[in-house]
Amino acid sequence: EPEVTQTPSHQVTQMGQEVILRCVPISNHLYFYWYRQILGQKVEFLVSFYNNEISEKSEIFDDQFSVERPDGSNFTLKIRSTKLEDSAMYFCASSTATGELFFGEGSRLTVL
Amino acid sequence: SQKIEQNSEALNIQEGKTATLTCNYTNYSPAYLQWYRQDPGRGPVFLLLIRENEKEKRKERLKVTFDTTLKQSLFHITASQPADSATYLCALDISGGYNKLIFGAGTRLAVHP
């Protein structure tokens, strides 16, 4: 069964450092997303991406965040200067146009 | 203010019984509502989607209802099994189909043998 894969599974970084989280969406999907979940809290929308541009973004997705689809298979989330409060599980997801999201297993980011 | 609420307490039921989980929302007019399952430390897994013009949807042992007047969705698991133990998340699309989903906090279900 096709799946969304994410790397790394866990990343520890120092505050102020740049982090790139990588995702390989399901190959025939056209819509890509990043969500995050702070430990013990709700899953929160960050950004959606379609046709090589951002479709929607949340208030969380400020200038520190960026997304890119550098080639035909990868979808990345970059955090330029990490803060302690960026510590969370980051989920990549993809979909066709039907609304059903397929999530990856997440990348746990710990900012020290 | 906009809210989406799920039973905050864990739901404990005996194997074989029907589990019913509730999702209430205020000040949204979602085009559709989705239910996901999440196991500890893992990503959400899609279960069912129901549109605003649908009253009920079924998939195997799962059933979801959607009442846009009451602003409520009910999620039922019939003939529950210990393997159904997980957290179940309700999610509303508030972007008219662009999958900007607002998730509830989830209800933890524990099915006991």
Side-chain angles (χ1 to χ4, degrees):
Chain A
E1 188 173 319
E3 58 181 19
V4 174
T5 56
Q6 292 186 241
T7 54
S9 56
H10 189 193
Q11 178 146 2
V12 182
T13 191
Q14 295 291 324
M15 192 168 54
Q17 295 297 303
E18 177 181 284
V19 160
I20 297 177
L21 305 179
R22 292 183 166 78
C23 170
V24 179
I26 294 173
S27 62
N28 64 334
H29 286 183
L30 301 176
Y31 298 81
F32 315 115
Y33 315 85
W34 285 99
Y35 282 78
R36 80 171 186 190
Q37 188 173 31
I38 295 170
L39 187 64
Q41 297 189 26
K42 297 181 183 183
V43 176
E44 299 176 290
F45 172 82
L46 292 179
V47 66
S48 59
F49 191 86
Y50 170 70
N51 201 26
N52 281 320
E53 58 183 31
I54 291 174
S55 311
E56 290 269 354
K57 60 182 182 179
S58 72
E59 291 170 356
I60 303 167
F61 194 88
D62 61 20
D63 292 342
Q64 295 296 318
F65 291 88
S66 62
V67 289
E68 197 177 32
R69 186 151 163 84
D71 53 43
S73 59
N74 290 287
F75 180 51
T76 61
L77 174 69
K78 183 192 290 186
I79 309 175
R80 285 192 188 81
S81 178
T82 50
K83 309 186 199 74
L84 295 176
E85 55 264 36
D86 294 329
S87 295
M89 184 75 96
Y90 287 81
F91 293 109
C92 174
S94 67
S95 73
T96 61
T98 61
E100 171 186 345
L101 293 192
F102 291 79
F103 283 85
E105 294 291 23
S107 292
R108 180 172 297 286
L109 176 65
T110 301
V111 182
L112 302 176
Chain B
S1 65
Q2 297 172 319
K3 273 196 230 178
I4 174 168
E5 291 181 335
Q6 298 186 248
N7 315 65
S8 56
E9 308 229 344
L11 182 62
N12 290 283
I13 64 168
Q14 285 299 120
E15 184 175 6
K17 301 292 186 189
T18 296
T20 299
L21 286 68
T22 305
C23 176
N24 293 296
Y25 60 93
T26 58
N27 296 324
Y28 288 117
S29 296
Y32 52 83
L33 184 149
Q34 302 184 33
W35 284 88
Y36 287 80
R37 168 185 173 140
Q38 188 175 31
D39 291 284
R42 308 202 64 180
V45 175
F46 173 80
L47 296 174
L48 279 168
L49 179 154
I50 187 163
R51 301 185 188 283
E52 60 180 337
N53 59 350
E54 296 175 316
K55 295 289 185 197
E56 182 180 297
K57 208 80 169 286
R58 290 176 187 260
K59 180 182 171 185
E60 297 171 353
R61 294 184 296 111
L62 309 180
K63 183 178 91 171
V64 63
T65 62
F66 192 15
D67 188 326
T68 54
T69 303
L70 288 179
K71 295 188 182 295
Q72 181 182 78
S73 176
L74 299 178
F75 178 78
H76 307 271
I77 306 174
T78 58
S80 59
Q81 303 163 1
D84 295 326
S85 299
T87 296
Y88 290 86
L89 309 176
C90 164
L92 304 180
D93 182 322
I94 62 167
S95 59
Y98 285 101
N99 277 330
K100 181 178 180 179
L101 298 183
I102 302 299
F103 280 85
T107 298
R108 192 157 51 83
L109 173 67
V111 181
H112 302 283

